[in-house]
């Protein structure tokens, strides 16, 4: 019983200490209120620092649940020895607060300047959940499960995304649209056949129905570039390969995928395979070889891996793959032996390092 009483006493002391800190203006928790606390608030307002829950409470001098320039000024006056006034009676410092270190909170900033961006659309597209950032670039979403794609979009900016992995707090950086980039797609796409093992990578995250097993987009070149272009994929989940199993992205048995010679997502440029994606991830870059590009229209294609459960990966360029392209390939195999790997990806962007080859699209 004495141990239990001692525990409650300790908890009471800790809670009282936290409350005292929250009301003190001691943002950095060093026991003093000085220029160091003001510096943390400046960094927060500038979008370069995230603050924990108790720090936000300590910095909220006027008790309105937000950290603003007013809180900064009040704390500065206090440090300077001037009367600062107290928080409005009866107002809770937690009301309307956004905890940026929680798994479902974060901030969106301009990549070049680091300044917070207001009104950005932040979403979990698979869940059809969308919010917008506040005046300080902050957002809060209802519970964010690990393995989901978190997307951010804003007018005149290149979209950005990240795969949630249980990290605490997000800082998403958006790049302004410029002659170097062309956005091909800013939506979430599910490729496959809606037939996947519950242990597959992304199986618990998939909500949107598959849009088919092959995805294509075109982009136009006003002239041939002097160097390779680049395809960037914002985020990619769901790949089931030996590599993804080894990396902990998929819980399928490695031996089974090895026996099936499971392949990855094929990437094509104007009909030629230029890469195979074996792991999920964020901000994936794929070179678009200059010699395969042509003036005018060019086509990018992503293809889900087609696996014959009898142990053969059916490559699109193989005899069976070409027959399947004509609608005849399945005649040689049992329907139960075929399976497409289900994947999801978002945000396709073409990058032209020179900024001179891509044809500009009307906004």
């Amino acid at each position: 019983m004495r141990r239990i009483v001692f525990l409650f006493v300790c908890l009471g002391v800790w809670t009282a200490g936290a409350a005292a800190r929250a009301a003190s203006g001691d943002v950095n928790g060093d026991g003093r209120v000085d220029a160091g606390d003001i510096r943390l608030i400046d960094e927060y307002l500038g979008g370069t620092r995230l603050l924990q829950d108790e720090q936000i409470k300590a910095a909220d001098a006027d008790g309105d649940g937000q950290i603003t320039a007013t809180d900064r000024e009040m704390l500065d006056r206090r440090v300077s020895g001037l009367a600062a006034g107290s928080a409005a009676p009866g107002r809770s410092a937690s009301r309307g607060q956004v905890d940026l270190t929680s798994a479902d909170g974060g901030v969106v900033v301009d990549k070049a300047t680091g300044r917070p961006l207001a009104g950005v659309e932040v979403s979990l597209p698979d869940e059809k959940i969308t919010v917008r950032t506040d005046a300080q670039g902050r957002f809060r979403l209802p519970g964010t499960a690990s393995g989901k794609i978190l997307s951010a979009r804003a007018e005149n900016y290149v979209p950005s995304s990240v795969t949630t992995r249980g990290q605490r707090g997000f800082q998403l950086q958006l790049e302004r649209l410029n002659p170097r980039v062309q956005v091909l797609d800013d939506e979430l796409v599910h490729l496959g056949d809606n037939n996947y093992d519950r242990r597959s990578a992304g199986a618990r995250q998939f909500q949107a129905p598959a849009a088919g097993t092959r995805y294509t987009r075109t982009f136009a070149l006003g002239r041939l570039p002097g160097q390779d272009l680049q395809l960037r994929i914002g985020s990619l989940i769901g790949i089931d390969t030996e590599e993804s199993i080894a990396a902990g992205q998929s819980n399928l048995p490695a031996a089974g995928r090895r026996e099936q010679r499971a392949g990855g997502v094929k990437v094509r440029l104007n009909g030629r395979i230029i890469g195979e994606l074996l792991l999920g991830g964020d901000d994936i870059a794929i070179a678009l070889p200059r010699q395969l590009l042509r003036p005018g229209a060019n086509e990018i294609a992503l293809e889900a891996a087609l696996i014959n459960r009898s142990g053969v990966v059916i490559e699109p360029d193989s005899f069976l793959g070409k027959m399947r392209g004509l609608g005849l390939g399945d005649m040689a195999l049992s329907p139960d032996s075929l399976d497409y790997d289900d994947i999801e990806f978002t945000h396709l962007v073409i990058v032209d390092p020179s900024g001179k080859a891509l044809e500009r699209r009307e906004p």
Side-chain angles (χ1 to χ4, degrees), residues 21-95:
R21 175 185 166 191
S24 71
D26 181 15
V27 183
N28 60 13
D30 64 355
R32 302 188 302 272
V33 179
D34 55 21
D37 302 297
I38 295 175
R39 184 165 55 252
L40 288 183
I41 294 176
D42 286 339
E43 292 172 358
Y44 173 82
L45 292 176
T48 61
R49 176 180 289 273
L50 301 181
L51 297 180
Q52 297 181 9
D53 186 51
E54 293 304 324
Q55 291 178 301
I56 292 176
K57 290 179 181 178
D60 185 18
D62 62 6
D64 68 351
Q66 301 182 51
I67 301 177
T68 65
T70 300
D71 301 303
R72 197 260 186 216
E73 180 184 355
M74 292 174 70
L75 186 57
D76 187 39
R77 290 171 60 195
R78 180 176 174 184
V79 171
S80 301
L82 300 175
S86 59
R91 300 186 71 175
S92 168
S94 63
R95 186 174 61 191

Side-chain angles (χ1 to χ4, degrees), residues 322-345:
K322 290 177 179 177
M323 287 187 66
R324 184 173 179 80
L326 297 174
L328 304 174
D330 292 352
M331 296 173 62
L333 296 167
S334 164
D336 293 336
S337 69
L338 295 176
D339 181 31
Y340 282 94
D341 193 16
D342 282 76
I343 63 162
E344 284 187 342
F345 62 89

Side-chain angles (χ1 to χ4, degrees), residues 1 38 178 216 226 355:
M1 176 64 71
I38 295 175
N178 60 77
T216 62

Side-chain angles (χ1 to χ4, degrees), residues 19 79 97 187 193 235 237 280 317 361:
V79 171
Q97 177 178 297
E187 300 288 346
D193 56 8
S235 296
I237 63 173
D317 290 332
R361 289 180 174 177

